[in-house]
Amino acid sequence: MTTDYDTIVPAGGAARRLGGADKPALAVGGRSLLDRVLAACPGAARTVVVGPERPTIRPVVTTREDPPGAGPVAALDAGLRHTTAGTVLVLSADLPFLTTTTVDALLAAVADTEGTQGTQGTQGTQGTQDSPGSQGEPAGPDGALLVDADGRDQPLVAAYRAAALRRALETLRTEHGGLAGLPLRALLAEMTVRRVRDDTATASYDCDTWEALSAARARIREHGHVLDEWITAVKAELGIELDVDTAVLLDLARDAAHGVARPAAPLTTFLVGYAAAQQGLDVAEVSRRAAALANRWAAEAGE
C-alpha cells in the first residue's frame, strides 16, 4: 500500500541531558542524527524540520515553533502549517537506527481500516473500532505510533491523519489558551491511535545522553553493520544513489589484490564504478568482467 505523506521532524529541543549541544547535528557513523532520520523517509512529498537552520542531506522546509523552545506539541503545530498531505509522519531528530521498514509499517498501520482496535488516549482504555473522527474522512485510527520494547509509547515516531492531528491541536489550544509547554500525552488523549511494536528496540533507540550516543556509535562498528553503514555514509556524502552489492565488490577487490598486487584492489573497484557510471552498466556485471581479467592475469603469472 502506498500512502502519500509529509514528514515533520521536531528538532528544536534544548537537549539539557546533553549539556545544550545541538543534538540533531551530532554525528553517528559520519552522518548527523538529523540526516539519518531524513534518510528513513525518502518518500515524503514535503519534509518540515522544526528548529534552527541546519545543513541537510536533502531539501527541507525549516520553521520554528512559537515561541522557540515551546515544546513538542507547539512544534507539531508549527510543522503542520507547512504540510498538505492527508497523512503526516512525525519523527524525532535523534533516531540513529530508524529505517524505511519502520516508517512503512507506521504508514500502513494508519492507513489500515480493518486492523486491530485503536486505543483512546494514553490511559490504556479501549476505544471504538478505529472509528472515523469526522464525517467524510476515511475510517481508521487517528494515528499509529511506535511502542518500544518496554511498552512505552513513542508519539514522536508515529504517523497521524493530518485532519485528526489538526483537530486535536485546536482542541488543546482552546482548552489551554495555547500550546506552549503542553506534554505529548495531552495530545494523545484527544486521539485514537494504533500501536506498532518495536520488538528489536532499534527503531525507537534515541540519543538523549552522551552515553546513548557513544553506544550508537559503537554499535554501527560492530561486525555485520560497519560496511553497510560506511557505504551509506559515503553515498550520502557524495550525493549518489546506487545499489551496491558489497559481496561482489569485496570478491573483486580480493581477486585484484591476490592476482595482481595489493594496490590494485582499490584502484580496480574505483575503475569498475567509473565504468558502470560512464557506460550505464550494472556494477555487478562490470565487477564480474574485471574479476575474470584479474584471474586471467594471475593465471599468466603462474605459468
Side-chain angles (χ1 to χ4, degrees), residues 229-253:
E229 286 285 349
W230 171 245
I231 290 170
T232 300
V234 171
K235 290 194 296 184
E237 183 69 21
L238 299 181
I240 58 175
E241 289 293 335
L242 178 68
D243 290 331
V244 177
D245 190 326
T246 305
V248 169
L249 287 177
L250 289 177
D251 286 345
L252 169 61

Side-chain angles (χ1 to χ4, degrees), residues 4-62:
D4 293 330
Y5 70 95
D6 292 330
T7 297
I8 300 174
V9 183
R16 293 183 178 86
R17 298 173 69 185
L18 287 166
D22 185 8
K23 181 167 60 172
L26 296 175
V28 172
R31 292 184 289 160
S32 71
L33 287 170
L34 177 56
D35 276 347
R36 295 181 74 92
V37 170
L38 295 179
C41 55
R46 174 177 294 183
T47 298
V48 184
V49 176
V50 185
E53 291 273 359
R54 301 180 181 93
T56 54
I57 194 173
R58 59 179 174 83
V60 300
V61 175
T62 301

Side-chain angles (χ1 to χ4, degrees), residues 29-214:
R31 292 184 289 160
S32 71
L33 287 170
L34 177 56
D35 276 347
R36 295 181 74 92
V37 170
L38 295 179
C41 55
R46 174 177 294 183
T47 298
V48 184
V49 176
V50 185
E53 291 273 359
R54 301 180 181 93
T56 54
I57 194 173
R58 59 179 174 83
V60 300
V61 175
T62 301
T63 189
R64 293 304 306 263
E65 64 272 50
D66 184 23
V73 176
L76 290 182
D77 180 64
L80 195 59
R81 295 174 185 274
H82 295 272
T83 66
T84 58
T87 299
V88 177
L89 183 70
V90 175
L91 303 172
S92 61
D94 61 349
L95 304 168
F97 304 123
L98 185 69
T99 66
T100 55
T101 300
T102 298
V103 166
D104 290 344
L106 291 169
L107 293 171
V110 77
D112 183 8
T113 60
E114 299 178 359
T116 57
Q117 285 187 326
T119 303
Q120 182 70 37
T122 59
Q123 300 303 313
T125 57
Q126 287 295 319
T128 58
Q129 178 70 31
D130 294 338
S131 57
S134 178
Q135 184 177 4
E137 290 181 25
D142 294 333
L145 56 79
L146 201 66
V147 178
D148 68 19
D150 294 325
R152 293 186 295 260
D153 287 346
Q154 304 293 319
L156 294 184
V157 192
Y160 300 101
R161 295 186 187 276
L165 186 56
R166 289 189 176 93
R167 279 198 309 274
L169 289 168
E170 190 55 39
T171 296
L172 292 181
R173 195 192 325 273
T174 300
E175 291 178 352
H176 298 276
L179 301 175
L182 292 182
L184 286 165
R185 64 177 177 273
L187 183 66
L188 288 186
E190 303 295 332
M191 307 180 78
T192 298
V193 296
R194 181 173 292 159
R195 286 164 170 80
V196 177
R197 291 197 64 85
D198 177 27
D199 292 325
T200 64
T202 53
S204 56
Y205 184 94
D206 56 16
C207 295
D208 279 338
T209 65
W210 291 114
E211 292 77 11
L213 183 71
S214 295

